[in-house]
Amino acid sequence: MKANGYYNHPRFPLEAGCGLIEEDSIAFTCDSGKTTETPSFPLEIFPKAIRDIIEALEEYENYNVDFTSASFLTVFAAAMGNTWSVRFMTGWVSRPIIYMVLVGSPSCGKTPPLQQAVAPLLKLDGEYDMIYCKEMETYRRWERMSAKQREKHSLPEEMKMPQRKCHVVVDSTVEALIGALRDNPRGVLIYKDEIDSLLSNFNRYNGSDEGYFLSLFSGTPFKYSRKSNNEHIFLANPYCSIIGSTQPGRLDEQFGGKRMMNGFSSRFLKVYPEIDKMPSWNDTAMPDGVLEEWGRIIRKVVTVTPSTDQEGKATSIELLFSQEAKLRVIQWKDEVNNKAYAETDSDAVRALCGKLETYLVRFCLVIQIMHCICGESGMDKIEPGTAELAIRLTEYFRNMESRIAPEIETGILDNRFTELLGNLRDSFTTAEAVREALQLGISESSVKRFLRDGGRGFVKKKSHGCYSKI
């Protein structure tokens, strides 16, 4: 029996193919026009061992299921890092990179699930730091010795400075991140309780900061030069996942405007469950071993060591799709995702469709390895059941984006469209509005939709292609 927590609600089915819409109510509408309930995270994607932990945290700690599930999914993917990859087509190899944001009002319970999920990785980092400190102490002693002293103590003539091993990065400046990626080829997780501390620093010191994170999402090789010490770093397979939280009122600032147009926003999966009260407290203790089991699962993941190539560099364990699983994914693209793309004129929706295809393949990899680590499946290929579960998870995030969209659109209207109207003459043409809108980072399709809808009561159509302010 579940405790009477703040988030005990029935699990509603997901509506496939829903797009972004502009509605203000909690219930949202798909492209089909059907109103649905706020989507629930599909817990069935997890193997029983992980699902039991999530449900125990809901029952005994009153953790929000969606927040916990999204956090566990991201942390598991980060533990995998570059150790595994999946090949969907000849030129399409994906690694499990996930950008995740938990969205909710203050004190709604975002932080505890996030902290619990990341705890095993932070514990490992603490153990690594103890080893690193001892290695640095040895290195500093060697550094102070003369050649004769090193020979006397049977120490090598050359010694490399120890590298700090870690899974989690808190200092999110690009320079610190690149250094961590260089020292940890397996990959790292950027963990920010408040994601704004990451996003607000973009471009403050370096105009290309945001561009690095756009590239990191794809895991493509790139070079980085540190002018301070003339160091040049080449990352062949950078792996960086991100997880943090934010409030609904900050979404427009963090993911609206140009970040919606350049694909930055659609790279972030967003979880925004319906919560109308603070989490309650429970006087019943959680059974022993529940959280320890999550730690054991994560340790089992990070201890898997891939093979190395002739140069001694690690190579990922590559999974392929079974024929049936691949056909199921192709069917989803043809019947659901392509349909959602064709039925909208929103650039934001179309950007989302593209990123959901990327995430679907990554979800297939993460779900397959989760079930493998927990002893429920093999590791040789993506199975048909895995593809089906990944599709359900992908549609959850599509529906969740529909719930997020009005929060972002509100900020866009308050800021960019207000500025647009202020820059236009009392009477103007569509072409003039489009030209001015592009300067503000508003897409052509967005401004045309804005005009078609009457500018939210501020614009009147005079004739074809001609408008006036009211």
Side-chain angles (χ1 to χ4, degrees), residues 84-330:
W84 287 274
S85 62
V86 60
R87 185 180 296 274
F88 184 70
M89 294 188 295
T90 303
W92 185 357
V93 179
S94 283
R95 290 175 170 80
I97 298 171
I98 294 178
Y99 289 5
M100 183 75 70
V101 178
L102 312 183
V103 183
S105 301
S107 302
C108 73
K110 302 186 295 294
T111 299
L114 183 52
Q115 291 178 334
Q116 205 65 257
V118 179
L121 290 182
L122 291 175
K123 186 175 182 180
L124 284 166
D125 284 359
E127 296 171 8
Y128 299 151
D129 276 351
M130 292 180 63
I131 297 172
Y132 173 77
C133 289
K134 291 179 180 178
E135 291 177 342
M136 280 300 298
E137 185 178 341
T138 300
Y139 176 80
R140 294 303 183 194
R141 281 202 306 268
W142 172 89
E143 197 175 34
R144 290 191 296 267
M145 291 181 179
S146 65
K148 289 184 177 180
Q149 289 174 320
R150 293 168 188 165
E151 182 179 0
K152 179 181 178 181
H153 290 86
S154 301
L155 294 176
E157 294 182 5
E158 299 292 335
M159 182 180 287
K160 289 185 177 181
M161 180 181 290
Q163 294 180 331
R164 185 184 292 273
K165 185 179 179 181
C166 71
H167 293 288
V168 180
V169 173
V170 177
D171 183 354
S172 55
T173 62
V174 169
E175 188 172 17
L177 175 61
I178 299 301
L181 290 171
R182 176 203 59 199
D183 295 343
N184 296 275
R186 186 185 185 112
V188 299
L189 170 70
I190 294 180
Y191 164 47
K192 291 288 186 180
D193 184 20
E194 292 290 340
I195 199 73
D196 188 62
S197 62
L198 169 67
L199 304 184
S200 63
N201 282 328
F202 281 179
N203 306 329
R204 178 173 294 180
Y205 306 107
N206 186 328
S208 61
D209 284 4
E210 190 170 306
Y212 280 115
F213 284 89
L214 289 170
S215 298
L216 278 174
F217 178 80
S218 301
T220 53
F222 69 88
K223 298 178 181 179
Y224 183 81
S225 297
R226 284 178 168 174
K227 296 181 180 179
S228 57
N229 57 4
N230 198 32
E231 181 182 17
H232 301 279
I233 300 173
F234 175 72
L235 302 174
N237 295 298
Y239 176 98
C240 177
S241 283
I242 302 173
I243 191 166
S245 66
T246 192
Q247 299 173 18
R250 304 302 304 275
L251 288 170
D252 62 299
E253 176 185 344
Q254 295 163 350
F255 298 105
K258 292 183 179 179
R259 287 178 177 171
M260 180 175 283
M261 296 302 111
N262 66 10
F264 183 85
S265 177
S266 59
R267 282 167 166 78
F268 279 82
L269 299 172
K270 306 172 189 74
V271 176
Y272 185 22
E274 181 183 345
I275 300 174
D276 57 8
K277 58 183 178 180
M278 294 176 65
S280 58
W281 290 349
N282 196 342
D283 61 355
T284 306
M286 190 161 57
D288 294 336
V290 173
L291 297 180
E292 288 77 5
E293 178 63 15
W294 175 236
R296 283 192 291 270
I297 291 172
I298 293 300
R299 281 180 180 269
K300 189 174 181 180
V301 178
V302 301
T303 53
V304 175
T305 304
S307 58
T308 56
D309 59 19
Q310 294 179 347
E311 298 178 355
K313 296 181 180 179
T315 58
S316 66
I317 302 169
E318 185 177 282
L319 275 65
L320 301 175
F321 277 75
S322 67
Q323 184 65 15
E324 189 177 349
K326 192 170 186 177
L327 289 174
R328 179 65 185 98
V329 169
I330 293 173

Side-chain angles (χ1 to χ4, degrees), residues 335-349:
E335 298 179 2
V336 178
N337 209 44
N338 285 358
K339 182 174 181 289
Y341 186 96
E343 292 181 350
T344 182
D345 61 355
S346 167
D347 290 343
V349 176

